[in-house]
């Protein structure tokens, strides 16, 4: 009994998120459809992992499961506290100012009223948007909105940040800059990040570990450790090289679906 | 290595500031001149055209019992004002209308929430509630008179039956149109249950709710006028509906015109003073009121 307890305690420290043999199927008119099949992933504290895959690999379903918005059909998921989640769309509340959006996250976490304003200003500084406190969401550009959304996610003080293609809807220039920002913020906060994308270079640019998912159902196809030192740039030769290798494997996976 | 790192980070910051500056457009509020030319001047022209047509028609019709001259209607207003009755007519109706609307708000809001959130209630009374919107509220006057008699409660009952469905339906459609993404974002931040309703669902549903309030007021006002025209009773005091009916029974067309102008004026004034600013504020603060 005592050993079990001790084991559990050490486990919660060792993993920001742990997925064990996770499967998920949905009921469809044609019967049960398996979306995720036997996914096992450990995310260490402070680790940056990207999940990479083509359409239909169940990336977003997987993030929903880790975020606790849905339950796995079989298998188990444990996370170190409630994860924060960032979406492709900024999902900021348009009836609140940028600052109040962040304050709401603090309020829901139980931060006392007199500390919220100061903490919000700090977070806005962190995402380099000082002075955006009173701005309405529609007054901000796409890149600024995603940075406020990032600040709001950081306000939850989760140990793990889940990101669901957060930069996919941005223009290439802004995306590049936000990659730098995310790398910097990740370095400064020591957060664990589980980042979902279908952009191979983005995955390699950002992550310490890239996990490739096959499609229909989503299975772990392969995994790469990226030991290119940060700060990287998306144009760096080692990034391009590894991206090529991963793209070839990814295309192989996609090709299998055209063969029958 | 270390120096490269700092320059990269510094560059990142300044590039970002530049991008932000490039992508932010400054939209100012319109000047008074623009507001005047675009918003105030056109209705003045329309009003002037109506007056001119009226002035031309009066000698052609040449029958004050059918079409009184603008001057006669003006005299009617002047007399009512000098006798100290004019504000009394308006106040009798407006106070009834606003109080009735307030009650409708108190009933319609929880009712709307209930229909929006509880499946059984929605299936049970949702269709009836939207069907009631298409029932002319004047249809409620005869039963209300029979149930409640000729008194103020009957007036309020008719207002409620007119306004509650609009308010409740507005809230229901507001809640239905809340983007699921907001609910997901709220849940990941811990806004579940009552907190979720308070911090996410209700504010997100506000535009639909305000549209419902606006329509609810229009329905309140119409129902009240119908009730006042039909239910004549000395103790009720003279509101605008009674004024109109008095004009008809006395064959005083100038008084009828006076009453119609006042009813129209009050309806527009309440909308312009309360509901339109409320709606514009809600939409503008969300960036939903963009000039095309």
């Amino acid at each position: 009994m005592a050993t079990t307890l001790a084991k559990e305690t050490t486990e919660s420290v060792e993993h920001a998120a742990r997925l064990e043999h996770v499967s998920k199927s949905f009921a469809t008119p044609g019967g049960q459809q398996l979306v995720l099949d036997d996914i096992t992933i450990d995310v260490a504290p402070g680790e940056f992992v990207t999940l990479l895959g083509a359409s239909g690999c169940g990336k977003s379903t997987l993030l929903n499961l880790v975020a606790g918005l849905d339950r796995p059909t079989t298998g188990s998921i444990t996370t170190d506290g409630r994860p924060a989640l960032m979406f492709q769309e900024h999902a900021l509340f348009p009836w609140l100012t940028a600052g109040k959006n962040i304050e709401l996250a603090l309020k829901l976490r139980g931060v006392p009223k007199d500390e919220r304003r100061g903490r919000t200003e700090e977070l806005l500084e962190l995402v380099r948007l000082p002075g955006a406190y009173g701005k309405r969401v529609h007054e901000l550009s796409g890149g600024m909105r995603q940075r406020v959304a990032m600040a709001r996610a950081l306000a939850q003080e989760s140990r793990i940040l889940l990101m669901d293609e957060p930069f996919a809807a941005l223009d290439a220039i802004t995306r590049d800059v936000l990659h730098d920002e995310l790398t910097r913020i990740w370095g400064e906060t020591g957060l664990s990040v589980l980042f979902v994308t279908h952009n191979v270079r983005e995955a390699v640019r950002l992550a310490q570990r890239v996990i490739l998912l096959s499609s229909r159902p989503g299975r772990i196809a392969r995994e790469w450790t990226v030991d290119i030192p940060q700060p990287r740039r998306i144009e760096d030769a080692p990034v391009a090289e590894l991206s090529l290798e991963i793209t070839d494997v990814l295309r192989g996976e996609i090709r299998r679906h055209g063969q029958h | 290595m270390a120096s490269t790192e700092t320059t990269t980070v510094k560059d990142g910051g300044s590039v970002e500031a530049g991008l932000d500056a490039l992508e932010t457009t400054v939209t100012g509020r319109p000047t008074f001149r623009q507001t005047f030319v675009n918003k105030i001047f056109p209705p003045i022209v329309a009003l002037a055209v109506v007056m001119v047509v009226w002035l031309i028609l009066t000698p052609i019709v040449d029958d004050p019992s059918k079409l009184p001259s603008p001057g006669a209607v003006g005299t009617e207003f002047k007399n009512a004002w000098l006798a100290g009755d004019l504000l009394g007519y308006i106040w009798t109706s407006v106070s009834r209308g606003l109080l009735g609307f307030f009650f409708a708000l108190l009933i319609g809001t929880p009712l709307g929430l209930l229909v929006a959130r509880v499946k059984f209630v929605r299936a049970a009374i949702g269709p009836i509630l939207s069907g009631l919107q298409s029932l002319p509220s004047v249809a409620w006057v005869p039963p209300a008179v029979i149930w409640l008699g000729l008194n103020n409660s009957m007036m309020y009952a008719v207002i409620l039956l007119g306004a509650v469905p609009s308010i409740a339906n507005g809230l229901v459609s507001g809640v239905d149109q809340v983007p699921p993404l907001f609910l997901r974002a709220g849940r990941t931040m811990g806004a579940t249950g009552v907190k979720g309703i308070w911090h996410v669902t209700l504010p997100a549903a506000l535009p639909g709710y305000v549209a419902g309030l606006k329509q609810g007021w229009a329905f309140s006002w119409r129902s009240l006028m119908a009730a006042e025209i039909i239910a004549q009773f000395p103790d009720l005091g003279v509101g605008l509906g009674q004024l109109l009916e008095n004009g008809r029974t006395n064959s005083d067309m100038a008084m009828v015109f006076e009453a119609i102008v006042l009813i129209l004026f009050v309806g527009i004034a309440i909308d312009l003073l309360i509901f339109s600013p409320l709606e514009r504020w809600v939409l503008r603060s969300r960036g939903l009121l963009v000039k095309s």
Side-chain angles (χ1 to χ4, degrees), chain B residues 5-68:
Chain B
E5 201 173 314
T6 38
T7 38
T8 314
V9 171
K10 231 171 97 189
D11 277 358
S14 53
V15 170
E16 234 165 329
L19 272 180
D20 292 349
L22 284 175
E23 290 185 351
T24 312
T25 46
V26 184
T27 48
R29 301 203 50 171
T31 62
F32 176 74
R33 206 188 121 79
Q34 283 170 324
T35 315
F36 183 82
V37 171
N38 295 327
K39 293 280 163 64
I40 302 174
F41 186 62
I44 291 176
V45 172
L47 207 60
V49 170
V50 170
M51 290 304 283
V52 168
V53 172
W54 189 359
L55 278 170
I56 296 171
L57 279 179
T58 313
I60 299 173
V61 176
D62 195 26
D63 180 0
S65 69
K66 292 277 187 320
L67 186 68

Side-chain angles (χ1 to χ4, degrees), chain A residues 32 50 140 194 200:
Chain A
Q32 288 286 312
T50 54
L140 304 172
L194 188 59
V200 180

Side-chain angles (χ1 to χ4, degrees), chain A residues 64 95 136 141 147 156 181, chain B residues 16 20 23 184 188 203 285:
Chain A
N64 274 345
W95 56 91
R136 290 279 170 184
S141 70
R147 271 141 69 204
Q156 291 176 246
E181 285 304 294
Chain B
E16 234 165 329
D20 292 349
E23 290 185 351
R184 285 177 70 202
T188 56
S285 67

Side-chain angles (χ1 to χ4, degrees), chain A residues 60 64 67 69 82-83 85 87 89-95 101 104-105 107-109 127-129 136 138-139 141-144 147 152 156 164 171 173-174 177-178 180-181 184 229-231, chain B residues 1 4-5 8-10 12-17 19-21 23-25 27 181-192 195 198-201 203-205 281 283-288:
Chain A
S60 298
N64 274 345
L69 294 176
R82 184 178 37 223
L85 179 55
F87 308 91
E89 304 86 3
H90 54 81
L92 294 172
F93 298 144
W95 56 91
N101 264 285
L104 179 60
K107 183 180 182 176
L108 289 167
R109 191 161 62 79
V127 297
R128 298 201 216 258
L129 280 172
R136 290 279 170 184
H138 65 93
E139 294 171 313
S141 70
M144 292 159 95
R147 271 141 69 204
R152 184 174 74 171
Q156 291 176 246
D164 190 358
D171 65 272
I173 299 169
T174 307
V177 173
L178 286 196
D180 295 345
E181 285 304 294
R184 177 181 63 84
Q230 292 279 13
Chain B
M1 189 65 212
T4 331
E5 201 173 314
T8 314
V9 171
K10 231 171 97 189
S14 53
V15 170
E16 234 165 329
L19 272 180
D20 292 349
E23 290 185 351
T24 312
T25 46
T27 48
L181 182 66
F182 288 166
L183 301 176
R184 285 177 70 202
R187 266 190 292 159
T188 56
M189 290 194 291
T192 49
K195 275 186 187 168
W198 181 248
H199 289 297
V200 184
T201 309
W281 171 74
L283 295 181
R284 176 172 290 141
S285 67
R286 289 155 200 243
L288 295 172

Side-chain angles (χ1 to χ4, degrees), chain A residues 17-22 39-42 62 66 76-78 194:
Chain A
R18 160 166 262 191
L19 290 79
E20 286 173 296
H21 306 291
V22 170
I39 306 280
T40 297
I41 300 171
D42 275 351
L62 188 61
V66 181
S76 72
I77 297 175
T78 48
L194 188 59

Side-chain angles (χ1 to χ4, degrees), chain B residues 115-287:
Chain B
V115 172
R117 302 279 307 187
V118 184
K119 269 190 190 140
F120 182 82
V121 179
R122 169 177 292 222
I125 65 170
I128 303 171
L129 211 55
S130 25
L132 276 179
Q133 271 185 303
S134 54
L135 181 76
S137 41
V138 65
W140 290 113
V141 177
V145 170
I146 294 169
W147 288 328
L148 300 165
L150 285 171
N151 50 39
N152 269 323
S153 347
M154 166 256 155
M155 302 264 184
Y156 291 128
V158 174
I159 294 178
L160 285 183
L161 286 163
V164 167
S166 293
I167 294 173
N169 273 319
L171 187 54
V172 171
S173 66
V175 171
D176 285 350
Q177 285 164 20
V178 174
L181 182 66
F182 288 166
L183 301 176
R184 285 177 70 202
R187 266 190 292 159
T188 56
M189 290 194 291
T192 49
V194 178
K195 275 186 187 168
I197 292 179
W198 181 248
H199 289 297
V200 184
T201 309
L202 281 182
L206 197 59
Y209 182 55
V210 169
L213 292 187
K214 201 175 159 168
Q215 199 193 38
W217 164 253
F219 278 33
S220 295
W221 187 240
R222 283 190 221 173
S223 335
L224 177 63
M225 288 308 107
E228 284 187 353
I229 290 170
I230 295 174
Q232 296 277 318
F233 191 66
D235 286 0
L236 288 178
V238 180
L240 298 176
Q242 279 98 339
L243 186 70
L244 181 63
E245 181 64 9
N246 289 347
R248 187 187 69 83
T249 46
N250 297 335
S251 300
D252 184 347
M253 204 55 188
M255 192 191 267
V256 169
F257 267 58
E258 176 196 27
I260 290 177
V261 169
L262 282 174
I263 292 170
L264 202 62
F265 170 78
V266 170
I268 294 172
I270 300 276
D271 190 62
L272 279 181
L273 291 176
I274 302 177
F275 295 101
S276 291
L278 185 65
E279 192 173 37
R280 268 205 307 277
W281 171 74
V282 167
L283 295 181
R284 176 172 290 141
S285 67
R286 289 155 200 243

